[in-house]
Amino acid sequence: MSTAAPAKRASTSAMIASIADADQRTQTAPFGTALAALAETDQRVVGLTADLGKYTDMHIFAKQQPERFFQMGMSEQLLFGAAAGMAETGLVPFASTYSVFAARRAYDFICLDIAEPNLNVNVVGGLPGLTTGYGPSHQATEDMAIFRGMPNLTIVDPCDALDIEQSVPQLAAHEGPTYLRLLRGKVPLVLDEYDYSFELGKAKVLRGGADVVLISSGLMTMRALQAAEALAAHRVDVAVVHSPTIKPFDSETVLRELDTARLAVTLENHTVVGGLFSAVAEAAARKGVAKRIVPIGLPDEFLDAGALPTLHERYGISKDRIVQTVLAELG
């Protein structure tokens, strides 16, 4: 007697969850690979982590540069204090942990040990926003809001493997501290189809469109591009502007695209409080651009645990929910 196989249930893990679709092109561990490659040409580069090397792709660097890798244990304050000391000697540290631990547990150490003296320390935060289903203890939904107020700190929210790969040497060369919202593991590769290259501090127009302009950062640029293609079937012409650097913000490029008759929408893998939407709205207000801006992002609340596809749909950041929101706004 045969029985039908049970239906496969969606699942997620804080360690291995991927934002890539099943049929999507990916690269494995672009951050760790790029950092290891950079270390071959720059002897100043060192890597540190707080017991999360495997889960921030720092293990790639550790394997290739064991003498320049430092395992600090489960102590984020020590991690960033040590990185600051290394930077004082002329080294260029990349220090990785989860975004929640960097933003919530070690803020004061990053602020006073690293940002105040303007040291070249690169903070690498894994599991930004809703890239894990493990609930509020691991979901860094407010990390950019926390860090945007810190003087001297540059904030980068990359879309895909290309963004990460190209950002690493630019972060190392940048004077002063940086914070990278890391996508790890099998990371989607999408921007190579749009004649794109990462430039620190610059936003890029990926595609033009007469009806709607989507201004996005991080993995939401991938979703914005997917939504733009889907909206074309509804005869809606959509432009996409990718802003991987949240601070300093490229207001010139963004406001040039914003100040039109098109529907303007921001998309971010972050709470709508204090992140990309806030940066765009602040820039518009400073320049006197009177424009309604529709935010798509995570709500101002602690989020549920669960499978990522379910959570992205629930909180409105899936491709289908973006399409629904845009069509509803167009009426």
Side-chain angles (χ1 to χ4, degrees):
M1 178 178 177
S2 62
T3 58
K8 186 177 180 180
R9 297 180 62 188
S11 63
T12 190
S13 163
M15 313 308 178
I16 62 174
S18 174
I19 61 167
D21 297 333
D23 58 349
Q24 200 164 29
R25 293 180 304 134
T26 62
Q27 286 187 4
T28 301
F31 165 69
T33 302
L35 188 63
L38 178 63
E40 293 292 333
T41 60
D42 190 340
Q43 297 301 310
R44 301 172 303 158
V45 172
V46 293
L48 305 84
T49 192
D51 204 34
L52 288 172
K54 179 180 178 182
Y55 305 118
T56 58
D57 292 345
M58 185 65 78
H59 67 292
I60 304 293
F61 177 87
K63 183 177 181 180
Q64 296 191 28
Q65 300 288 346
E67 299 301 316
R68 291 153 66 181
F69 169 72
F70 301 89
Q71 172 58 267
M72 308 308 295
M74 297 178 67
S75 177
E76 290 78 17
Q77 296 93 338
L78 176 61
L79 169 71
F80 295 116
M86 292 178 182
E88 289 276 15
T89 71
L91 297 174
V92 178
F94 282 76
S96 73
T97 183
Y98 286 161
S99 293
V100 285
F101 302 153
R104 298 177 191 167
R105 293 184 186 173
Y107 179 91
D108 198 38
F109 288 77
I110 295 172
C111 187
L112 296 181
D113 289 355
I114 296 171
E116 193 275 332
N118 202 33
L119 297 175
N120 186 353
V121 174
N122 302 282
V123 177
V124 180
L127 303 184
L130 191 48
T131 53
T132 173
Y134 268 24
S137 65
H138 284 68
Q139 292 162 345
T141 58
E142 80 286 35
D143 55 321
M144 290 196 295
I146 291 171
F147 278 136
R148 279 185 67 224
M150 185 181 293
N152 293 334
L153 184 67
T154 292
I155 301 172
V156 173
D157 189 20
C159 165
D160 72 343
L162 179 65
D163 244 359
I164 294 170
E165 181 182 77
Q166 294 186 355
S167 71
V168 167
Q170 294 185 42
L171 295 176
H174 176 71
E175 295 292 336
T178 69
Y179 171 60
L180 176 68
R181 299 185 93 211
L182 178 67
L183 303 174
R184 54 83 52 195
K186 292 183 178 180
V187 179
L189 180 62
V190 296
L191 294 178
D192 60 324
E193 297 182 5
Y194 294 88
D195 190 29
Y196 171 86
S197 62
F198 174 85
E199 290 184 70
L200 189 62
K202 296 294 184 181
K204 299 291 182 71
V205 180
L206 300 182
R207 55 176 285 165
D211 302 317
V212 180
V213 56
L214 304 181
I215 303 164
S216 56
S217 70
L219 70 89
M220 292 305 289
T221 293
M222 175 182 72
R223 295 282 165 78
L225 292 167
Q226 293 170 338
E229 292 293 333
L231 284 162
H234 297 271
R235 300 178 183 267
V236 178
D237 194 18
V238 180
V240 176
V241 182
H242 176 44
S243 180
T245 307
I246 304 300
K247 184 182 178 184
F249 188 65
D250 185 3
S251 57
E252 180 180 356
T253 299
V254 171
L255 292 182
R256 184 171 60 244
E257 296 297 316
L258 183 75
D259 194 13
T260 70
R262 297 174 295 182
L263 171 68
V265 182
T266 61
L267 301 93
E268 59 192 309
N269 172 38
H270 183 271
T271 171
V272 293
V273 177
L276 177 66
F277 169 64
S278 295
V280 173
E282 290 163 12
R286 286 193 180 100
K287 291 293 185 180
V289 176
K291 176 73 177 182
R292 179 171 177 262
I293 305 165
V294 177
I296 292 178
L298 302 174
D300 181 24
E301 61 189 61
F302 293 109
L303 307 184
D304 294 334
L308 286 182
T310 301
L311 295 176
H312 285 201
E313 184 75 14
R314 177 175 301 172
Y315 293 115
I317 65 171
S318 67
K319 179 199 73 176
D320 290 344
R321 289 292 305 277
I322 295 166
V323 170
Q324 292 170 13
T325 299
V326 170
L327 290 176
E329 288 291 335
L330 292 171

